[in-house]
Amino acid sequence: MPDQDQRTTGRIRRVALASAVGTTIEWYDYFIYSTATALVFNKLFFPSLSPAAGTLAGFATLGVGFVARPLGGIIWGHFGDRVGRKAMLVASLLLMGLATAGVGVLPTFEQAGVAAPVLLVVLRVLQGISAGGEWGGAALMAVEHAPEGSRGRYGSFSQIGVPAGLILAQLVFFAVNSSLAPDTFRSWGWRVPFLISLVLVGVGLVIRLRVEESPVFARLRSNDTRSRLPIVEVLRARPWQVVTAAVSFIANTAIGYIFFAYLLSYGTAVLKLSSTTMLVVVIVGSVVWLVSIVAAATWSDTAGRKPVYLAGSVLLVVWSIPFFLLVDTRQPWLLVVAVVVLNVGLGATYGPQSALFAELFEPRFRYSGSSFAYAVGAVLGGGFAPLIATALQSATGTSLSVALYMVGVGVLSLLAVLAFPGKPPVTVRAG
């Protein structure tokens, strides 16, 4: 029995590692796009526009990827509930890697004219489709393998991939940006982070191909209790859970993208701080986000998902205005304070999410329900948050308008969290 327990523990840890590494690589691909959008895409793909309009256009292409995510959630969710969780993890990672590398070899507007931004949008759509199903597969593989009482902790391995991918993206951009002259970086240096993706995806595929299928899905398949049309069934059987889950995610993703996408642009273009300073600030905040995700997820195993999610939601609401008051001082150490506190709130509203969403839906349509709710929340929240923030600041000339927007989305998600049941309505391992 001890040997069997050790093998079980080893298997669970391999799955957790595969979720963390694969999701980190997937989100690295996603985030280098948002970083490049904030730093150079306005000049490379929209040079005929003014700097502000070019930034808006760049953030619009960022939003296009989010619009594609619900479609990805439906596609990957259907096959994840029909074919298996593992196969979709491999397919989504491969698609993301190819789309990201494609951006790295794109011609600019100067080289190809209007075809350049069109191709950029196409590749961004493919990234969005991939991201729409990646999270659901990684989260469910971790949660459905986890022992009772540890689903939050193991589910956090899929969640830490987001800040870890962001940290990796920022570090790569920081290294490339600081080692090259500005003209060289704009000429070809920005392509390096995108092309590195090919190597990272290869590593991720090797790790993911070695893990076992989710025991929950294996039981569904052996009992022949899989849903024929999972997205249809989940919308019929659990519409309220889909709505509340999606709305609960709006604040986290909107405020998250304001932190790691808009803040870079705002700090360099409006506050006139160096890109190096802003990248360091975002990296520090991302490290805090990662640590707080693990802490909040582990806490949720004892305190419950709802109380932890609720605490984080309240913090995001009350900190939004102080956040920009500190950022606007232009003092690096105050910027660090601003992002540290903000990311504690982001971690508390993201850490328990894998286990929380899994506990809302029955196994036969869990991939579809979780992925679709996550993707819709991402569209409504993060999809156009940097675009909205840029437009608000440009129109009003003050960051207060952006802070009030953050408060608004925070209150909306807070109401959804209050509507969650106090105890999990679904047994995760039920077949």
Side-chain angles (χ1 to χ4, degrees), residues 41-43 45-58 390 394:
F41 275 3
N42 61 333
K43 303 178 184 71
F45 293 97
F46 309 99
S48 60
L49 303 177
S50 68
T55 300
L56 284 170
T390 301
S394 297

Side-chain angles (χ1 to χ4, degrees), residues 8-17 19-20 138-139 141-160 297-298 301 351 354-355:
T8 300
T9 301
R11 173 175 53 81
I12 295 172
R13 287 175 177 172
R14 284 194 300 272
V15 171
L17 176 64
S19 293
M141 283 288 282
V143 172
E144 290 181 346
H145 274 90
E148 188 74 23
S150 299
R151 290 195 294 267
R153 179 164 62 92
Y154 280 101
S156 71
F157 280 86
S158 63
Q159 306 302 87
I160 64 175
T298 303
D301 282 330
S354 290

Side-chain angles (χ1 to χ4, degrees), residues 44-368:
L44 296 173
F45 293 97
F46 309 99
S48 60
L49 303 177
S50 68
T55 300
L56 284 170
F59 282 138
T61 67
L62 185 70
V64 167
F66 279 88
V67 174
R69 283 171 70 165
L71 175 61
I74 293 172
I75 294 171
W76 302 117
H78 176 83
F79 290 103
D81 285 324
R82 292 290 303 165
V83 178
R85 322 306 200 201
K86 176 181 173 178
M88 297 308 103
L89 280 183
V90 172
S92 62
L93 182 61
L94 185 60
L95 177 60
M96 178 66 84
L98 293 175
T100 303
V103 175
V105 297
L106 269 186
T108 63
F109 187 90
E110 183 180 358
Q111 296 165 330
V114 71
V118 170
L119 290 172
L120 184 67
V121 169
V122 170
L123 292 172
R124 183 60 180 171
V125 168
L126 293 177
Q127 279 193 325
I129 291 174
S130 172
E134 154 64 23
W135 176 84
L140 295 189
M141 283 288 282
V143 172
E144 290 181 346
H145 274 90
E148 188 74 23
S150 299
R151 290 195 294 267
R153 179 164 62 92
Y154 280 101
S156 71
F157 280 86
S158 63
Q159 306 302 87
I160 64 175
V162 177
L166 176 59
I167 292 168
L168 184 59
Q170 302 299 321
L171 286 174
V172 170
F173 260 101
F174 177 80
V176 175
N177 192 31
S178 60
S179 61
L180 297 175
D183 289 343
T184 305
F185 179 77
R186 283 192 296 270
S187 175
W188 58 265
W190 66 272
R191 299 180 184 275
V192 174
F194 290 91
L195 297 176
I196 288 174
S197 170
L198 289 174
V199 177
L200 296 177
V201 167
V203 174
L205 287 174
V206 170
I207 294 174
R208 285 191 164 178
L209 286 168
R210 296 178 62 186
V211 301
E212 298 178 18
E213 178 59 88
S214 158
V216 174
F217 179 79
R219 189 156 48 249
L220 288 172
R221 184 168 51 196
S222 65
N223 296 338
D224 197 22
T225 53
R226 290 168 290 175
S227 173
R228 290 182 63 252
L229 294 172
I231 187 63
V232 174
E233 188 175 353
V234 74
L235 292 176
R236 285 176 178 172
R238 299 290 182 187
W240 181 243
Q241 283 86 341
V242 172
V243 171
T244 52
V247 176
S248 74
F249 188 41
I250 289 176
N252 180 280
T253 186
I255 295 173
Y257 266 81
I258 286 174
F259 156 63
F260 57 69
Y262 173 71
L263 187 61
L264 275 174
S265 174
Y266 179 73
T268 55
V270 178
L271 300 183
K272 305 302 181 184
L273 294 168
S274 71
S275 58
T276 299
T277 296
M278 295 309 302
L279 285 170
V280 170
V281 168
V282 171
I283 290 170
V284 171
S286 301
V287 172
V288 173
W289 188 12
L290 190 154
V291 173
S292 64
I293 282 175
V294 177
T298 303
W299 181 28
S300 77
D301 282 330
T302 54
R305 320 292 178 215
K306 183 175 179 177
V308 177
Y309 216 121
L310 192 60
S313 298
V314 171
L315 180 57
L316 289 180
V317 171
V318 302
W319 189 249
S320 293
I321 292 177
F323 171 76
F324 267 106
L325 290 176
L326 292 175
V327 168
D328 286 344
T329 64
R330 295 181 171 88
Q331 298 298 315
W333 72 274
L334 289 177
L335 265 74
V336 169
V337 172
V339 300
V340 164
V341 177
L342 187 77
N343 278 280
V344 170
L346 290 174
T349 53
Y350 199 60
Q353 191 182 55
S354 290
L356 174 65
F357 279 27
E359 291 165 349
L360 290 176
F361 303 105
E362 285 83 354
R364 67 183 183 277
F365 48 61
R366 179 174 289 150
Y367 200 137
S368 295

